[in-house]
Amino acid sequence: MIAGNDRFPFGAPSTLRPANVPPSGDTHLAVVGVYPSALHVRWDLPTWAVAGQDLPPRVGALAVDVEPTVFWDGTDPEPTELVAAWQQRVGFLSGDEPGKHGHVRETMNGTSGRSVVERVLGPLGVDPCRTMFTDLVPRFFVKTGTGGRAEQGDRIRDVYEPFARLVGLPPANLPARPAQRQLVSGVVTEERNRLRNELAAAGASVIVTLGSEAREALRQIVDDADGVPARDLRRDNYGEPGTLRIGRYRARWYALTHPGNRSPAWREVHAQWEQTVRPAG
């Protein structure tokens, strides 16, 4: 299913990413993120476009397709094979001659997935094979940079779109990342039943939310919650567990920072949590 008419650069459809559930059904931990990531490539633009059209020679990481599963670790499936299959599917024309699309190779894939496995599942002592991964919203969003840092929205607007017009490629059509309050409100009204059903059906004894939006949205869609995750998360109470209930289902709840949070202060308190948390039992 395509999320509306969402399309990545070069034309791949942005389909909804369902929860990644252990095939054995033995789920000990459920991880709730915000929205899926994507398959990224390093794009070296063709020399004709760089020389004659005032375009940069390279985009270091461009999102071009959905990630194969939510919280993909960038290794299984192998990203080089995914990029090759993507090139064939969208008709990417490798080369530097006029009309060609340049060259691509995989890059920066699975960083969030690996971080969660190493820095959340590892300290809790839970195998990824016993973990369900899901997101508040099952569609990919693009961010626009601030403070001089370019994000996907900037790369698409400033590089892909001018290039696409030159060679007759379709425009990218990906939704902008909503503001925090808007995202949480949308989840509570549109994703409530899906998330409740996913979590209750998985029956994990432990739930981890990543980021303030996941914590706030979950607090609003469950039937009951208490402890630190049900209140404002601060650095002085970081990682202290609470509990939540959906119908008859109950779980221990950890509210942690999102792996994409680059704040040194939050990264430090998370590192302290890694050293002190007891394995989930």
Side-chain angles (χ1 to χ4, degrees):
M1 177 179 180
I2 299 176
N5 294 313
D6 297 357
R7 296 276 172 177
F8 284 94
F10 297 99
S14 180
T15 53
L16 302 181
R17 299 290 83 199
N20 186 1
V21 180
S24 66
D26 180 18
T27 305
H28 187 69
L29 174 67
V31 174
V32 182
V34 183
Y35 61 92
S37 184
L39 176 69
H40 291 80
V41 298
R42 191 187 84 170
W43 177 28
D44 291 304
L45 278 73
T47 52
W48 70 264
V50 175
Q53 302 296 331
D54 196 29
L55 290 172
R58 176 179 298 163
V59 176
L62 182 69
V64 295
D65 202 357
V66 292
E67 61 178 352
T69 59
V70 294
F71 287 95
W72 176 44
D73 64 2
T75 61
D76 184 20
E78 212 285 321
T80 301
E81 295 177 2
L82 290 178
V83 170
W86 165 82
Q87 287 182 264
Q88 185 173 23
R89 187 156 33 90
V90 301
F92 185 91
L93 302 175
S94 295
D96 289 301
E97 301 85 359
K100 299 290 187 179
H101 301 160
H103 307 272
V104 291
R105 70 181 191 188
E106 76 88 14
T107 188
M108 300 293 290
N109 286 301
T111 54
S112 291
R114 287 193 299 274
S115 178
V116 170
V117 169
E118 295 168 2
R119 305 199 63 194
V120 176
L121 274 62
L124 289 171
V126 180
D127 193 296
C129 294
R130 300 182 65 193
T131 303
M132 181 191 83
F133 299 94
T134 192
D135 285 306
L136 294 181
V137 182
R139 69 191 298 197
F140 178 71
F141 295 116
V142 292
K143 294 188 291 186
T144 300
T146 58
R149 180 184 177 86
E151 298 282 1
Q152 288 300 316
D154 306 290
R155 295 163 187 156
I156 291 171
R157 180 194 64 224
D158 298 337
V159 185
Y160 174 74
E161 294 293 356
F163 181 81
R165 288 192 292 270
L166 290 171
V167 296
L169 287 168
N173 183 31
L174 294 169
R177 189 194 198 285
Q180 178 169 328
R181 182 175 297 180
Q182 180 184 2
L183 190 147
V184 171
S185 174
V187 169
V188 172
T189 57
E190 299 173 16
E191 306 292 342
R192 178 180 184 273
N193 290 339
R194 173 183 64 84
L195 288 165
R196 284 170 58 92
N197 291 339
E198 286 179 354
L199 294 171
S205 60
V206 180
I207 290 177
V208 171
T209 51
L210 300 174
S212 57
E213 290 155 320
R215 182 195 65 81
E216 178 60 23
L218 206 65
R219 185 188 67 80
Q220 294 189 42
I221 68 172
V222 299
D223 295 326
D224 188 37
D226 62 19
V228 167
R231 304 189 296 270
D232 287 339
L233 186 65
R234 306 186 308 271
R235 290 196 292 272
D236 62 355
N237 63 15
Y238 181 85
E240 294 181 16
T243 61
L244 59 79
R245 179 179 64 84
I246 300 172
R248 296 182 178 181
Y249 165 62
R250 298 176 183 273
R252 186 190 308 171
W253 178 14
Y254 290 94
L256 304 178
T257 187
H258 193 276
N261 188 341
R262 300 184 181 93
S263 163
W266 283 106
R267 292 177 70 86
E268 180 181 351
V269 295
H270 184 83
Q272 294 171 355
W273 174 84
E274 291 182 68
Q275 300 300 315
T276 59
V277 66
R278 292 184 299 173

